[in-house]
């Protein structure tokens, strides 16, 4: 991987700004607010930080925009080159899955036919055993019943060839068909609470809109204060 020297990309101004930015941080870590004058001084320093931030943006943003544009163009070009391959891969995989489904259908049909044959054979032997028993031929009846018990159906396997580098896997996913029923199950303890993920984006939007008036069961309104500053 090639190293990118941002100093070479943006020139000496960037190095000076990086040093100036570091000096600002060092000063902030040493600063203490213990008086009104110091508190007001912090406001001035915050304005200076905003001004320096704008200088940094003016130096770096054009280079970032060009790099981002080049990145987007390359990603798009790669996607164009990959799209036919992805489509072809999907087509072939669909054909393989369709063939597997067809073979599995044939296996089930043949399995059902063999099971029906075995059932009829058992019933035939059991009927002969019943007739033998009616005639008092208990030994013959027992022999026929024993034969009926041994009639088994062979278990067929789907005949899918093994292809090097290709495997079939099953993935499982859950689909919510009744949100209200799921909520009831979680409330009853039948389903873990992890099954319900709160929509924090919606709740935060409601908190910003309703503020302290937000009153949803199980939801706590939290007010977080911050300082806003702008450049001088």
């Amino acid at each position: 991987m090639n190293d990118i020297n941002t100093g070479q990309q943006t020139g000496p101004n960037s190095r000076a700004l990086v040093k100036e930015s570091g000096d600002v941080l060092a000063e902030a870590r040493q600063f203490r607010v213990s008086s009104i004058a110091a508190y007001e001084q912090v406001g001035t320093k915050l304005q200076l930080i905003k001004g320096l931030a704008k200088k940094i943006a003016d130096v770096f943003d054009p280079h970032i925009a060009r790099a981002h544009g080049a990145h987007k163009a390359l990603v798009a070009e790669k996607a164009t080159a990959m799209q036919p391959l992805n489509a072809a891969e999907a087509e072939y995989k669909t054909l393989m899955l369709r063939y597997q489904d067809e073979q599995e259908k044939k296996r089930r049909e043949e399995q059902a036919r063999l099971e029906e044959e075995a059932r009829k054979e058992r019933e035939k032997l059991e009927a002969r055993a019943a007739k033998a028993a009616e005639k008092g031929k208990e030994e013959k009846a027992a022999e026929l019943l024993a034969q009926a018990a041994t009639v088994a159906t062979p278990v067929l396997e789907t005949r899918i060839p093994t292809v090097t580098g290709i495997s079939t896997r099953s993935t499982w996913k859950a689909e919510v068909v009744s949100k209200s029923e799921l909520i009831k199950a979680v409330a009853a303890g039948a389903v873990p609470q992890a099954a319900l993920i709160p929509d924090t984006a919606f709740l935060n939007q409601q908190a910003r809109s309703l503020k302290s008036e937000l009153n949803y069961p199980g939801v706590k309104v939290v007010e977080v204060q911050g300082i806003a500053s702008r450049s001088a």
Side-chain angles (χ1 to χ4, degrees):
M1 179 181 298
N2 295 326
D3 293 332
I4 298 177
N5 189 323
T6 56
Q8 293 179 355
Q9 298 289 324
T10 57
N13 285 343
S14 67
R15 292 190 290 273
L17 288 172
V18 168
K19 182 181 182 305
E20 189 175 354
S21 179
D23 292 342
V24 169
L25 175 58
E27 183 180 358
R29 287 175 172 170
Q30 297 295 324
F31 200 85
R32 296 292 180 270
V33 176
S34 57
S35 65
I36 294 177
Y39 184 88
E40 292 175 343
Q41 192 176 358
V42 168
T44 301
K45 291 182 180 296
L46 288 173
Q47 290 179 341
L48 292 175
I49 287 174
K50 288 294 184 182
L52 181 57
K54 185 179 183 307
K55 289 182 182 179
I56 291 174
D58 290 342
V59 170
F60 285 94
D61 285 355
H63 300 283
I64 293 172
R66 284 194 296 272
H68 182 61
H71 172 76
K72 287 178 63 178
L74 286 171
V75 169
E77 191 172 349
K78 178 185 177 182
T80 300
M82 288 296 299
Q83 191 278 331
L85 296 182
N86 294 334
E89 182 180 9
E91 289 286 346
Y92 283 126
K93 287 182 176 179
T94 298
L95 291 173
M96 294 184 83
L97 290 172
R98 187 178 300 155
Y99 179 80
Q100 290 180 13
D101 290 342
E102 292 171 353
Q103 296 305 304
E104 175 61 17
K105 180 181 178 182
K106 291 179 181 179
R107 185 201 67 80
R108 288 195 300 266
E109 291 174 349
E110 180 63 12
Q111 186 72 52
R113 187 187 69 79
L114 293 175
E115 289 174 355
E116 180 65 13
E117 285 185 355
R119 184 187 66 79
K120 290 180 178 179
E121 180 63 20
R122 283 192 297 271
E123 290 179 351
K124 179 180 177 182
L125 291 170
E126 289 168 354
R128 289 176 58 193
K131 290 181 179 181
E134 289 175 359
K135 296 178 180 179
K137 300 178 180 180
E138 298 298 335
E139 186 176 342
K140 183 63 175 178
E143 179 183 343
L144 290 170
L145 287 175
Q147 290 181 23
T150 60
V151 176
T153 305
V155 178
L156 301 180
E157 294 183 0
T158 304
R159 296 179 179 178
I160 301 297
T162 300
V163 180
T164 302
I166 301 298
S167 62
T168 301
R169 62 182 179 184
S170 296
T171 55
W172 299 84
K173 64 179 182 178
E175 180 181 348
V176 177
V177 295
S178 175
K179 189 175 182 179
S180 60
E181 291 298 319
L182 178 60
I183 292 172
K184 290 178 183 178
V186 171
V191 176
Q193 292 187 10
L196 294 178
I197 301 177
D199 188 340
T200 53
F202 168 77
L203 292 174
N204 286 333
Q205 188 277 329
Q206 292 294 290
R208 288 191 296 270
S209 176
L210 300 176
K211 300 180 175 61
S212 61
E213 298 299 318
L214 178 63
N215 185 25
Y216 291 169
V219 177
K220 176 183 177 182
V221 181
V222 179
E223 180 182 5
V224 180
Q225 293 187 335
I227 299 293
S229 63
R230 61 179 183 272
S231 60

